[in-house]
Each structure stands twice: as C-alpha cells, then as structure tokens.
C-alpha cells in the first residue's frame, strides 16, 4: 500500500538526540536557578550596609546576574542544539549503516537475485542477528526455489514422455487404419494410467510439502497392516515373504498421507528385491516419545553413495525398467520424505551389508495414557 512520505529514521534519531541534549541543558540551568540563583539577594549592587557598627559591602544581586547570564545561556543552548543535530546526524548514520545494507539485500532479493548475502562482520548485536537471520532466510529461499525449478523441469519431462508416446500411437493408428485396435487401446491405457499415477503423485507430493492437512491420532501399526494387506498379492506374485511385526503405537497426522507413506515403502521394498525368495519385514514400535517404523528388505547390494539420491524426485538409481502395473514414476521415496518432513519426523536410509535397504522412520508419538490406579500392579 502507498503511504505519505515521512521523515527518515536517521532524521528522527537526529532530532531525538538533539532534543534530549537540549533538554539536558535546560534541566541543568533549572538546577542552577533552583539551588544557586534563588539564594542571591535582591539589594542594589555595591550598597553599603551598617550592622552593629560594621560596614558590609554586598556583591551583585540576582537581577544583575540574570542580565549577564541570560545571553550566555542562550548561546550555550544554541550551541547544544547545533551540536546535537550535527552529532546526532553522524551517530544515527553510523548506527543505521547496517540497516542500509540489509535494505539493499532485501531490494536485491525482491528483484529476483537470491544469491546476494549481507555477511555482516563485527560483534554480535541486534543488527548482526537481523543480518544473520536474513542471510539464513535467503539461503533457504534460494534452495527452495532451485528445488522447485528442478522439480518443475523434471515433472515436465516426465509428463511429456507419456503424452509423446500417446501422440505417436495415435499418429501410427491414423496412418495405418488396418492396425490392431485392441493392441493400440491397451498400450494407450497403460500410458494413460502411468500419466494419471504421475499426476496423482505430484499432487500428493505438493500437498505434503505445503502441510495442508488435518491432524488426527493415527495407529501406525494398523496402517502398516493395511498397507501390507493391500500389497500382499504383489508380494505373492513375486514370491516374496511379507511380515508385519511390532506393537501398537500412535502418531498425530494425516491418516491418508501416512498410509501412502507406508504403502510406498512396502511397495518399493517388494519391487526392489531379489527375483525369487526375497523377504520384506515391516516393524512398528514405540521408543521413548517417538513412534518408529522400520521397513527392511533383501535385495542386491546398494552403494552407500547412491543412498542420498533415493529421496530426490524422479531419481532412479537402478537400471531396471518395470513395465507391470506397479511401475514407479520416480516419486516413491520423495513422497515418503515429504510426508515424514511434514509430520516433523526423521527418515534414515541404511544399505544392508548383505543387500537390500533398511528404512527407519521416527515420528513424534502421542503421550502415553496414564495407567489407572488401583490395579494389581499398584499393590
């Protein structure tokens, strides 16, 4: 909103400094009047008084002192005013110099350049704390903007692929009317399903990143059992043993997002496993004030340097290409990471020495209900 121009902060501080200095001088003069001048006699100067035969010569009276002192007082007050304005202007400029640097950095960021940093030196004070906080904010904004741009570019590339395939199939069908329509429809259905899954995954990832969901108590063990039951046919098809163990533990969050998180983990553990005879173990437990979910699977050895890339969107660290109904879109662990982050949890990926991956998720748990008194354990 536009507002009327006003005095600058430097000018306001200058006037304040000068005003306080002038007020201090006026108070000093008032003190002199109260404690010095009011005790002077009102007699004429140089008068001679005779008391008890002695001659007493009095000095200048109050009126004479006021006539001689008033110009000096006016001069001193004028000097204090000028000195206060000049000194206040210089001091205010030195005090507000850090704000000038911060304002320049803010204008630079507003113009789209997030790489500029203030990097203020000197002792720690309020301006230094403000500059450091502003630099931290710029670093986070630059990182988030770069991540969003990279994500948008990757998403555009991934969405363009199924659309290009669909166009190619339609062009081939148009140029060859005798082509088998059943095969064309089946391939278009597969490509369209992949595009829909990718779009749903993108929407879910955006929802998790924004944190726009209702929080409610969720039993993590029940969610693990539901996800395992849903993916049991896939595990049986691939001849993989799927086990769910552990204890009841509750978290506070979105039941739909947590279910999608666990489902993605279990699905990845099944798909990225041994061809035959693999295992997937899902375990839930309560550890201190946190709810812990562990998903462990067998599989081929995974280099430790590739683990950080697993949670990046559209990053596939394996060379296998899946064409079944559970073909991934490169967002499985990215969605898991976003859901965990939205629920203030932690995600830990550890390669198993014998092959496969151990995924450990820690989410803030709900407080334990107090144990009722009077029971057999209270005796």
């Amino acid at each position: 909103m536009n507002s009327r121009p006003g005095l600058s902060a430097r000018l306001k501080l200058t006037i304040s400094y000068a005003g306080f200095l002038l007020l201090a001088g006026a108070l000093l003069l008032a003190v002199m009047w109260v404690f010095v001048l009011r005790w002077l006699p009102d007699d004429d100067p140089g008068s001679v008084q005779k008391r008890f035969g002695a001659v007493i010569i009095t000095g200048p009276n109050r009126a004479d002192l006021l006539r001689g002192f008033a110009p000096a007082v006016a001069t001193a007050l004028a000097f204090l005013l000028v000195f206060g304005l000049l000194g206040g202007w210089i001091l205010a400029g030195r005090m507000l110099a850090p704000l000038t640097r911060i304002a320049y950095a803010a204008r630079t960021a507003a113009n789209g350049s997030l790489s500029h940093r203030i990097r203020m030196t000197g002792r720690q004070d309020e301006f230094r704390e403000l500059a450091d906080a502003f630099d931290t904010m710029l670093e986070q904004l630059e990182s988030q903007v770069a991540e969003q741009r990279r994500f948008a570019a990757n998403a555009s590339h991934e969405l363009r692929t199924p659309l290009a395939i669909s166009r190619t199939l339609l062009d081939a069908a148009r140029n060859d009317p005798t082509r088998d329509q059943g095969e064309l429809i089946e391939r278009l259905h597969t490509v369209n399903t992949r595009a829909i899954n990718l779009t749903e995954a993108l929407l879910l990832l955006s929802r998790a990143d924004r944190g726009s969901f209702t929080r409610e108590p969720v039993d993590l063990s029940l969610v693990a059992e539901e996800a395992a039951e849903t993916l049991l046919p896939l595990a049986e098809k691939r001849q993989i043993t799927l086990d769910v163990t552990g204890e009841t533990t509750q978290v506070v969050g979105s039941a739909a997002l947590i279910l999608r998180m666990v489902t993605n983990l279990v699905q990845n553990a099944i798909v990225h496993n041994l061809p035959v005879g693999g295992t997937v173990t899902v375990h839930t437990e309560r550890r201190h004030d946190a709810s812990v979910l562990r998903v462990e699977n067998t599989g081929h050895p995974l280099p430790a340097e590739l683990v950080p890339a697993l949670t990046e969107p559209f990053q596939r660290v394996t060379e296998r290409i899946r064409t079944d109904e559970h073909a991934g879109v490169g967002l499985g662990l990215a969605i898991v990471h976003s859901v965990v982050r939205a629920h203030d949890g932690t995600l830990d990926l550890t390669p198993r020495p014998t092959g496969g991956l151990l995924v450990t998720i820690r989410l803030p748990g709900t407080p334990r209900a107090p144990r009722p008194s009077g029971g057999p354990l209270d005796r």
Side-chain angles (χ1 to χ4, degrees), residues 80-197:
L80 288 177
L81 179 60
V82 175
F83 181 77
L85 290 174
L86 181 60
W89 180 261
I90 296 174
L91 290 177
R94 291 178 59 87
M95 291 293 296
L96 296 178
L99 287 182
T100 304
R101 296 178 58 184
I102 296 174
Y104 174 77
R107 287 192 297 268
T108 304
N111 292 330
S113 176
L114 299 177
S115 60
H116 179 75
R117 299 291 182 270
I118 302 173
R119 294 188 177 90
M120 187 173 296
T121 58
R123 296 184 177 181
Q124 194 73 20
D125 57 7
E126 289 80 358
F127 292 117
R128 175 70 182 275
E129 291 179 359
L130 178 60
D132 292 344
F134 194 83
D135 284 345
T136 303
M137 181 190 67
L138 287 179
E139 291 177 2
Q140 295 178 352
L141 285 176
E142 185 179 19
S143 175
Q144 291 178 0
V145 169
E147 182 179 353
Q148 289 178 356
R149 289 175 178 173
R150 184 173 64 253
F151 178 80
N154 291 334
S156 300
H157 174 73
E158 294 289 332
L159 284 172
R160 182 178 59 183
T161 300
L163 294 177
I165 294 175
S166 298
R167 185 178 64 180
T168 302
L169 293 175
L170 292 175
D171 291 341
R174 183 177 57 183
N175 296 331
D176 186 9
T178 61
R179 187 173 181 176
D180 185 6
Q181 299 297 323
E183 179 186 359
L184 173 65
I185 294 175
E186 185 63 27
R187 295 187 63 182
L188 284 175
H189 179 269
T190 302
V191 174
N192 188 58
T193 301
R194 178 178 174 81
I196 292 175
N197 292 337

Side-chain angles (χ1 to χ4, degrees), residues 145-353:
V145 169
E147 182 179 353
Q148 289 178 356
R149 289 175 178 173
R150 184 173 64 253
F151 178 80
N154 291 334
S156 300
H157 174 73
E158 294 289 332
L159 284 172
R160 182 178 59 183
T161 300
L163 294 177
I165 294 175
S166 298
R167 185 178 64 180
T168 302
L169 293 175
L170 292 175
D171 291 341
R174 183 177 57 183
N175 296 331
D176 186 9
T178 61
R179 187 173 181 176
D180 185 6
Q181 299 297 323
E183 179 186 359
L184 173 65
I185 294 175
E186 185 63 27
R187 295 187 63 182
L188 284 175
H189 179 269
T190 302
V191 174
N192 188 58
T193 301
R194 178 178 174 81
I196 292 175
N197 292 337
L198 177 59
T199 304
E200 291 178 350
L202 291 172
L203 292 175
L204 183 62
L205 187 60
S206 175
R207 179 187 172 194
D209 287 336
R210 293 195 311 267
S212 57
F213 52 85
T214 303
R215 298 179 182 269
E216 58 183 352
V218 179
D219 192 334
L220 192 58
S221 59
L222 293 180
V223 173
E225 292 178 0
E226 182 179 354
E229 183 178 355
T230 302
L231 294 171
L232 184 59
L234 176 64
E236 293 177 346
K237 179 181 179 181
R238 294 175 177 265
Q239 300 181 14
I240 292 175
T241 303
L242 178 59
D243 293 328
V244 180
T245 62
E247 59 181 339
T248 300
T249 177
Q250 285 194 341
V251 297
V252 177
S254 170
L257 289 178
I258 293 177
L259 176 60
R260 184 59 182 266
M261 175 191 74
V262 179
T263 302
N264 282 3
L265 285 177
V266 177
Q267 179 177 331
N268 282 351
I270 295 174
V271 173
H272 298 283
N273 213 309
L274 297 175
V276 177
T279 60
V280 175
T281 303
V282 183
H283 180 77
T284 59
E285 65 179 21
R286 185 181 182 91
R287 187 177 301 172
H288 303 294
D289 293 332
S291 297
V292 180
L293 170 71
R294 293 204 308 267
V295 179
E296 185 176 7
N297 70 311
T298 55
H300 300 285
L302 182 64
E305 61 272 13
L306 297 180
V307 171
L310 291 175
T311 57
E312 292 293 328
F314 306 108
Q315 296 297 320
R316 299 178 179 87
V317 298
T318 59
E319 298 297 332
R320 290 179 298 170
I321 300 176
R322 301 180 304 275
T323 58
D324 57 11
E325 67 275 12
H326 293 279
V329 295
L331 290 174
L333 288 179
I335 292 176
V336 171
H337 187 212
S338 295
V339 173
V340 171
R341 185 172 50 191
H343 288 79
D344 302 322
T346 59
L347 173 64
D348 182 40
L349 305 178
T350 305
R352 299 174 70 247

Side-chain angles (χ1 to χ4, degrees), residues 21-27 29 71-83:
L21 190 59
L22 195 62
L23 179 61
L27 290 177
L29 294 176
V73 169
T75 302
L77 290 178
F79 173 77
L80 288 177
L81 179 60
V82 175
F83 181 77

Side-chain angles (χ1 to χ4, degrees), residues 61-79:
N61 62 4
R62 186 187 305 167
D64 288 338
L65 287 178
L66 287 176
R67 283 194 298 270
F69 192 57
V73 169
T75 302
L77 290 178
F79 173 77

